[in-house]
């Protein structure tokens, strides 16, 4: 009987989430309810410990700084310039606009690491272009969602900072591994678009000659993205080389973004204030989810949930790889319902120590977790990229069509995941090189 | 009652703007410590804790603004499946949960913060700076209290709209 209580906590959480409760309150409510009924009123104070712990997490300070950097660069119209540059270069290729969308998504990922910004930006700028030139709608919508989601995997990434804060895996190593994993996924998406467009030439027509860019335009389009590119390379480089902590690099990046917007003559007080408020909305939202999830986790482990999982895992027939497979399925399943930082807070403390104990490389598993988060953004019914997409989709696009568009890209993600599992080098090559 | 609702919303908005702008000193502190560490090789001993203070105030007080602007993320799939009456019901249920959770944090956080103020608690990070932190702990009951108040105001608003509709249709 008592062994079913941890499972009951998850069921209660999923029910509350499905009923439309904000994620942080659903987590808090379950934590408060279970601690009260299991241990009495004195135990409810765990939620205070959770709040205080989050307020004192030095690693998490990188989150608002990275988000601020992204918002300032975005307000300085980097997305438009970027899309403009890439799309001018990819005009003559069949499926070129689709490839441009994926590439811009990947580059944007290096600028921001906020998935909402990636999907919404590409949806507003890239999708209308693709539809204008007669692209298949599902292919285009899927490309926007898959490309926009890459920001979570390509550093700097908010979710990696959260994962590092929870599991003590080095954020710098996660960043380095995320870069190669992200580029690998981008390559798979591009491959998919290319194959589709060569099998059926009506799906992604080539741009008509008159709307292709001249060489001069191509060169001048590159000039505009030179400075932000330099900033990103400096920020990531200092984290990769171990010269700076993610928080330090993010602080310098945030300042660099302000300088950049001043150079572009787009700096003004109103823009800074808007960026601060936009950062606050994301940062406080994520932080309160972390608070709720930390309370949930400590109650879960307090009632023996973690010990129970470890017990089941070690007695499972089939050995470590069976446990590994079950963990992947567990995270995948949670991803269909939960917000990414809540997923990390809930699943990582339960699953990651078990896998480490069984001899799996914690960094490698961390990166597999990150790729599973990619899937969670796209997987129906609750993938967040799907909702962002719905917000910016042109009229007449139904949620069902968006669901259908995501399926082939989820397939590519799963293929990518399989490759990373079979060839760990894809994930671990760069972090090892840097160490 | 309307003036009270209006006052709380205005307060939440102002708190949001102030806590959002804390980001600028946070950037300055991180930048300063980076410059001092890497160029002058003498990192300040206060930057670690000051940046935690700024970050902590930013997230806790930011929760109030998120409540005001409905930015605490939720899964709205059920909301889109039911009719307007069902949507109102879900909103009221969510707000009740918000008021409850915030009240619990306030209720447990208040004596915890008062105790810290009483002993004028100092930092437990063991840095040479060793700042007082009792005031920082007060942000737990303060922010949860105001966040709950904002949710309560939204709840009152929601219910009064419901009553008005009821009065019109009967």
């Amino acid at each position: 009987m008592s062994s079913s209580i941890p499972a009951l906590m998850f069921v209660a959480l999923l029910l509350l989430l499905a009923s439309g409760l904000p994620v942080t309150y659903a987590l808090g409510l379950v934590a408060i309810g279970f601690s009260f009924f299991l241990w009495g009123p004195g135990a409810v104070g765990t939620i205070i410990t959770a709040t205080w712990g989050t307020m004192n997490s030095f690693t998490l300070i990188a989150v608002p700084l990275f988000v601020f950097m992204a918002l300032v660069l975005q307000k300085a119209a980097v997305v438009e310039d970027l899309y403009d540059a890439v799309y001018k270069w990819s005009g003559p290729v069949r499926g070129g606009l689709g490839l441009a969308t994926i590439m811009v998504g990947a580059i944007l990922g290096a600028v921001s690491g906020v998935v909402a910004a990636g999907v919404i930006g590409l949806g507003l700028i890239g999708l209308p272009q693709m539809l204008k030139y007669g692209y298949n709608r599902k292919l285009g919508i899927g490309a926007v969602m898959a490309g926009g989601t890459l920001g979570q995997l390509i550093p700097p990434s908010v979710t990696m900072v959260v994962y590092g804060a929870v599991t003590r895996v080095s954020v710098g190593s996660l960043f380095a591994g995320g870069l190669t994993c992200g580029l690998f996924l981008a390559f798979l998406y591009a491959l998919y678009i290319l194959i589709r467009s060569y099998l059926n030439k009506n799906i992604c027509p080539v741009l008509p000659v008159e709307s292709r860019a001249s060489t001069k335009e191509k060169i001048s389009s590159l000039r505009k993205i030179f400075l932000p590119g330099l900033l990103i390379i400096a920020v990531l480089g200092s984290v990769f080389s171990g010269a700076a902590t993610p928080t330090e690099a993010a602080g310098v990046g945030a300042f660099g973004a302000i300088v950049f917007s001043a150079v572009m003559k787009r700096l003004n007080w109103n823009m800074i204030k808007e960026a601060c408020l936009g950062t606050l909305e994301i940062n406080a939202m994520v932080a309160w989810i972390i608070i709720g999830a930390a309370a949930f986790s400590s109650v879960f482990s307090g009632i023996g949930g973690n010990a129970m999982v470890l017990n089941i895992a070690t007695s499972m027939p089939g050995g470590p790889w069976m446990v590994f497979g079950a963990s992947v399925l567990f995270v995948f399943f949670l991803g269909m319902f939960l917000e990414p930082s809540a997923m990390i807070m809930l699943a990582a403390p339960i699953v990651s120590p078990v896998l480490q104990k069984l001899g799996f490389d914690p960094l490698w598993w961390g990166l597999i977790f990150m790729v599973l988060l990619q899937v969670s953004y796209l997987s129906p019914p609750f993938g967040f990229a799907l909702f962002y997409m719905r917000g910016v989709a042109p009229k007449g696009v139904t949620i069902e069509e968006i669901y259908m568009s995501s399926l082939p890209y989820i397939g590519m993600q799963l293929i990518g995941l399989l490759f990373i599992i079979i060839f760990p080098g894809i994930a671990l090559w760069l972090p090892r090189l840097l160490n | 009652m309307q003036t009270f609702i209006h006052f709380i919303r205005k307060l939440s908005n102002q708190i949001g703007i102030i806590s959002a702008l804390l980001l600028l000193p946070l950037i300055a502190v991180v930048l300063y410590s980076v410059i001092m560490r890497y160029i002058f090789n003498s990192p300040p001993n206060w930057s670690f804790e000051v940046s935690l203070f700024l970050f902590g105030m930013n997230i806790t007080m930011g929760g109030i603004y998120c409540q005001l602007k409905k930015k605490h993320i939720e899964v709205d799939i059920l909301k889109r499946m039911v009719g307007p009456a069902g949507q109102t019901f879900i909103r009221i249920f969510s707000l009740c949960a918000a008021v409850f959770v915030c009240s619990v944090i306030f209720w447990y956080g208040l004596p915890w913060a008062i105790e810290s103020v009483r002993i004028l608690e100092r930092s437990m990070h063991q840095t040479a700076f060793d700042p007082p932190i009792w005031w920082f702990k007060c942000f737990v009951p303060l922010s949860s209290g105001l966040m709950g108040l904002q949710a309560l105001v939204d709840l009152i608003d929601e219910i009064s709209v419901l009553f008005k509709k009821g009065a019109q249709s009967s």
Side-chain angles (χ1 to χ4, degrees):
Chain A
M1 181 58 208
S2 67
S3 68
S4 62
I5 290 178
L8 210 60
M9 275 185 82
F10 268 96
V11 173
L13 178 66
L14 292 184
L15 283 177
L16 285 175
L17 285 176
S19 73
L21 219 58
V23 179
T24 175
Y25 297 132
L27 289 161
L29 204 57
V30 175
I32 292 168
F34 276 77
S35 56
F36 181 82
F37 286 113
L38 290 171
W39 302 315
V44 181
T46 46
I47 198 157
I48 304 298
T49 319
T51 314
W52 182 240
T54 309
M55 287 164 77
N56 281 291
S57 169
F58 190 72
T59 314
L60 289 180
I61 297 181
V63 173
L65 297 174
F66 277 135
V67 172
F68 179 80
M69 171 176 108
L71 289 183
V72 170
L73 286 180
Q74 202 182 322
K75 283 181 197 298
V78 170
V79 185
E80 281 91 345
D81 293 346
L82 207 59
Y83 198 84
D84 190 55
V86 176
Y87 132 88
K88 278 185 178 144
W89 281 83
S90 63
V93 186
R94 200 185 282 177
L97 287 179
L99 298 186
T101 304
I102 300 291
M103 267 172 69
V104 174
I107 302 172
L108 218 56
V111 179
S112 79
V114 182
V115 166
V119 175
I120 292 169
L122 285 180
L124 288 176
I125 300 161
L127 191 59
Q129 292 284 350
M130 286 191 275
L131 296 182
K132 184 173 145 199
Y133 289 107
Y135 270 53
N136 174 292
R137 201 153 81 170
K138 276 186 190 144
L139 185 115
I141 292 172
V144 165
M145 291 192 293
T149 319
L150 283 172
Q152 179 261 324
L153 201 53
I154 291 180
S157 145
V158 167
T159 51
M160 286 179 187
V161 175
V162 176
Y163 190 87
V166 176
T167 61
R168 311 237 162 263
V169 172
S170 144
V171 176
S173 298
L174 283 171
F175 276 11
L179 182 64
T180 50
C181 290
L183 291 178
F184 181 61
L185 280 189
F187 166 74
L188 288 178
Y189 300 150
L191 202 65
Y192 169 75
I193 293 173
L194 278 178
I195 291 174
R196 284 288 305 272
S197 55
Y198 276 86
L199 289 180
N200 180 348
K201 65 177 178 183
N202 294 327
I203 286 184
C204 331
V206 188
L207 287 198
V209 179
E210 66 273 14
S211 37
R212 287 180 201 169
S214 68
T215 316
K216 200 179 152 205
E217 279 179 305
K218 284 181 187 171
I219 302 289
S220 82
S221 70
L222 283 184
R223 258 199 0 236
K224 285 188 203 150
I225 59 170
F226 176 71
L227 274 182
L230 209 61
L231 179 64
I232 298 305
I233 291 169
V235 167
L236 290 184
S238 60
V239 178
F240 284 169
S241 63
T245 64
T247 302
E248 288 170 337
V252 176
F255 179 71
I258 297 178
V259 172
F260 168 71
S261 61
V263 170
M264 299 298 286
K265 297 193 174 58
R266 281 159 176 165
L267 181 69
N268 59 59
W269 173 243
N270 217 20
M271 183 260 245
I272 292 292
K273 194 174 137 191
E274 291 291 312
C276 282
L277 276 173
T279 307
L280 183 76
E281 283 174 3
I282 295 174
N283 184 38
M285 182 268 284
V286 168
W288 278 94
I289 287 176
I290 292 176
I291 290 171
F296 182 99
S297 299
S298 68
V299 176
F300 183 82
S301 99
I303 56 175
N306 292 16
M308 191 186 86
V309 172
L310 182 64
N311 223 348
I312 295 174
T314 44
S315 61
M316 207 185 249
W321 283 99
M322 197 67 187
V323 179
F324 176 83
S327 308
V328 169
L329 281 181
F330 174 62
V331 177
F332 179 79
F333 175 75
L334 279 186
M336 292 169 69
F337 301 94
L338 279 175
E339 195 274 343
S341 30
M343 255 172 91
I344 295 172
M345 292 297 298
L346 295 185
I350 301 174
V351 175
S352 301
V354 174
L355 288 172
Q356 195 175 349
K357 203 162 264 176
L358 291 173
F360 292 99
D361 182 343
L363 175 62
W364 176 67
W365 165 251
L367 288 162
I368 288 173
F369 200 114
M370 290 301 126
V371 175
L372 282 166
L373 283 183
Q374 287 275 295
V375 184
S376 85
Y377 274 107
L378 292 193
S379 58
F382 297 155
F384 277 87
L386 307 165
F387 294 124
Y388 300 140
M389 187 67 234
R390 202 199 60 224
V392 294
K395 274 202 170 63
V397 175
T398 60
I399 189 81
E400 285 77 18
E401 191 175 359
I402 295 177
Y403 280 174
M404 292 304 293
S405 320
S406 73
L407 294 181
Y409 294 90
I410 295 176
M412 297 318 279
Q413 288 173 332
L414 294 178
I415 292 172
L417 186 69
L418 201 65
F419 268 92
I420 294 168
I421 292 171
I422 299 172
F423 306 105
I426 298 171
L428 298 177
W429 170 76
L430 190 59
R432 276 184 189 151
L433 190 75
L434 294 169
N435 278 337
Chain B
M1 189 48 108
Q2 279 307 316
T3 46
F4 175 68
I5 291 179
H6 189 70
F7 171 74
I8 294 296
R9 289 206 167 132
K10 212 162 175 186
L11 183 70
S12 298
N13 194 44
Q14 286 304 319
I15 290 172
I17 293 171
I18 293 168
S19 35
L21 292 180
L22 287 177
L23 200 62
L24 298 177
L26 178 61
I27 294 171
V29 168
V30 174
L31 192 70
Y32 177 76
S33 81
V34 167
I35 292 172
M36 291 310 281
R37 183 191 311 273
Y38 294 102
I39 300 180
F40 298 100
N41 217 358
S42 65
N45 66 4
W46 49 265
S47 61
F48 174 75
E49 268 145 330
V50 170
S51 45
L52 277 180
F53 291 156
L54 290 167
F55 170 76
M57 289 189 281
N58 179 272
I59 58 166
T60 49
M61 301 307 270
I64 305 163
Y65 186 76
C66 285
Q67 181 62 44
L68 175 74
K69 300 281 177 187
K70 312 261 179 298
K71 293 289 176 182
H72 283 300
I73 204 161
E74 62 191 30
V75 176
D76 61 349
I77 199 155
L78 185 69
K79 223 183 235 174
R80 273 180 292 111
M81 276 159 46
V82 298
Q87 286 178 4
T88 311
F89 178 78
I90 291 172
R91 276 202 302 274
I92 289 179
F93 173 62
S94 292
L95 287 169
C96 287
V99 172
F100 175 75
V101 171
C102 292
S103 313
V104 171
I105 300 178
F106 177 75
W107 186 254
Y108 282 85
L110 191 62
W112 172 80
I114 288 175
E115 174 60 18
S116 177
V117 173
R118 199 182 58 79
I119 60 171
L120 292 176
E121 192 177 2
R122 298 185 85 85
S123 171
M124 71 276 169
H125 287 298
Q126 319 235 323
T127 55
F129 178 42
D130 196 32
I133 56 157
W134 50 267
W135 63 273
F136 190 41
K137 281 197 168 179
C138 293
F139 275 91
V140 174
L142 187 65
S143 62
S144 56
L146 287 170
M147 200 157 116
L149 201 58
Q150 178 57 48
L152 184 67
V153 160
D154 290 342
L155 184 63
I156 293 171
D157 204 29
E158 200 70 58
I159 291 174
S160 69
V161 168
L162 203 64
F163 270 108
K164 255 182 220 155
K165 264 192 203 152
Q168 272 168 9
S169 61
S170 65

